[in-house]
Amino acid sequence: MARKPENNNRLDDAARAGWLYYVAGRTQDEIASIMGISRQSAQRLVSLAMAERLVKVRLDHPIAACLEAAARLKDRYELKYADVVPSDPGSASTTVGIAEAGATEIERWLKSAEPVVLAVGTGRTLKATIDQLPPMDCPQHRIVSLTGNIRLDGSAAYYNVIFSMADVINARHFPMPLPVLVSSPEEREVLHKQSLVKMALELGARADAVFVGVGELGAEAPLCEDGFLAREEMAGLMAAGAVGEICGWMFDHDGALLTGSINERVASIPLPPRDRAAVIGIAKGTRKYEALRAALRGGIINGLITDEDTAEYLLKA
């Protein structure tokens, strides 16, 4: 729904106040004087700028405990990349901190002068991560979506990020024009032979870096909440030993993909070979613990962006 003009004007004022406070270093009294408003109004506008995420903050200082945890994770799970951010005990957010760190790592790849292929998953964490990317001009790179965004009822899901990412970085992008799940292995085979799909499959197999969320299972899991999977089918998968999923691919406690299961109907692009590509999972929180541990054990991902509490669990597991 489009914002009303008066809301746009207020956001303009909030953006101006936010810029004056965080970029120009002005005090709230100075902002009030510059904008011809009261100090209380200036304070509210600065707060609104933060609440509407008009201001994006990155801390440019390595925290020793986080660096140590990241190094231990790399050694423990033989990772190519690991980044650990501070935990906020008072926050229920599953994306704050790791979204900013994920955006920083994606930005590092995008700054390459040499052409690279980046593959991305979908979901809340990836969307929050892409929202943190600054505008960039990257016509030399190609971005491919690992998974489709069609629900069981045929509608498009909200958390597919390929288009918003392409808009921000001005890069060629290749969506996966399929549902997450199809009706049968035979249907998947037919669909994967379509020329547009084959192009995405081939590009995904050559990806230099991959950024994915790591999904937990259960009746309240994103796959069920977002309408990709019926709760009865989810219960059956868990009974069969599934503990997590990445781009719809189900895996067990040891990080092995389930056989003879829903994986035969997953239309997503398989993850590229981990001996060549960086496959970075972005996730944190107690609901993700078991899925993350399994994904790391099985080498499904060889990179991780998480927080201190989750890192502590993974190092003790």
Side-chain angles (χ1 to χ4, degrees):
M1 182 181 294
R3 288 190 174 103
K4 295 181 180 180
E6 59 267 26
N7 288 342
N8 286 335
N9 291 338
R10 184 159 176 78
L11 288 179
D12 284 346
D13 289 341
R16 183 178 297 277
W19 188 92
L20 288 168
Y21 188 78
Y22 290 102
V23 179
R26 299 286 191 169
T27 66
Q28 291 178 1
D29 286 332
E30 289 173 328
I31 294 170
S33 177
I34 291 169
M35 297 183 66
I37 57 179
S38 68
R39 187 184 187 283
Q40 290 76 16
S41 294
Q43 184 179 28
R44 285 194 292 269
L45 287 173
V46 172
S47 297
L48 179 62
M50 286 297 292
E52 291 289 329
R53 303 189 72 82
L54 305 181
V55 177
K56 298 176 181 178
V57 178
R58 293 184 183 177
L59 183 65
D60 190 19
H61 179 79
I63 298 175
C66 293
L67 290 176
E68 181 183 356
R72 291 173 61 200
L73 283 171
K74 289 182 70 174
D75 290 341
R76 171 76 177 270
Y77 294 103
E78 299 181 352
L79 302 179
K80 289 187 175 182
Y81 177 83
D83 189 11
V84 175
V85 304
S87 295
D88 179 1
S91 174
S93 172
T94 60
T95 64
V96 170
I98 58 171
E100 290 79 0
T104 298
E105 179 60 10
I106 293 174
E107 184 180 348
R108 186 182 70 82
W109 281 90
L110 292 173
K111 285 180 177 178
S112 169
E114 296 298 319
V116 298
V117 177
L118 295 187
V120 294
T122 188
R124 293 160 176 77
T125 303
L126 263 295
K127 185 179 186 304
T129 298
I130 300 309
D131 286 346
Q132 294 295 323
L133 280 177
M136 301 177 71
D137 194 28
C138 306
Q140 74 275 30
H141 302 320
R142 287 174 290 178
I143 314 299
V144 61
S145 179
L146 289 172
T147 187
N149 69 328
I150 307 300
R151 297 187 176 103
L152 293 174
D153 63 2
S155 63
Y158 175 68
Y159 293 105
N160 190 277
V161 302
I162 187 73
F163 299 111
S164 55
M165 183 176 181
D167 288 343
V168 172
I169 67 172
N170 187 29
R172 292 177 65 194
H173 57 289
F174 299 80
M176 189 61 167
L178 294 179
V180 175
L181 298 169
V182 295
S183 62
S184 67
E186 292 75 22
E187 183 184 14
R188 180 176 69 178
E189 184 177 357
V190 170
L191 290 172
H192 278 190
K193 289 180 179 179
Q194 303 302 308
S195 58
L196 290 177
V197 178
K198 285 179 67 176
M199 188 180 304
L201 287 167
E202 292 167 2
L203 198 60
R206 303 203 313 270
D208 299 292
V210 177
F211 295 87
V212 294
V214 179
E216 76 277 13
L217 301 189
E220 307 303 319
L223 278 179
C224 293
E225 290 288 305
D226 297 339
F228 293 119
L229 193 64
R231 284 176 168 79
E232 297 78 13
E233 198 162 20
M234 172 66 77
L237 287 165
M238 296 176 68
V243 300
E245 60 86 16
I246 292 177
C247 296
W249 299 102
M250 299 286 171
F251 51 87
D252 64 17
H253 287 272
D254 296 317
L257 293 181
L258 295 190
T259 57
S261 71
I262 198 172
N263 285 338
E264 297 178 347
R265 297 193 289 114
V266 174
S268 301
I269 299 172
L271 296 175
R274 265 68 86 201
D275 60 351
R276 181 186 57 77
V279 180
I280 300 173
I282 309 175
K284 70 172 184 176
T286 55
R287 292 178 61 179
K288 306 282 186 178
Y289 281 2
E290 196 170 8
L292 273 172
R293 179 176 61 180
L296 290 167
R297 278 179 173 174
I300 297 177
I301 57 176
N302 59 12
L304 177 63
I305 296 173
T306 192
D307 71 344
E308 286 178 289
D309 289 345
T310 307
E312 182 179 358
Y313 170 82
L314 294 171
L315 288 168
K316 289 180 178 178

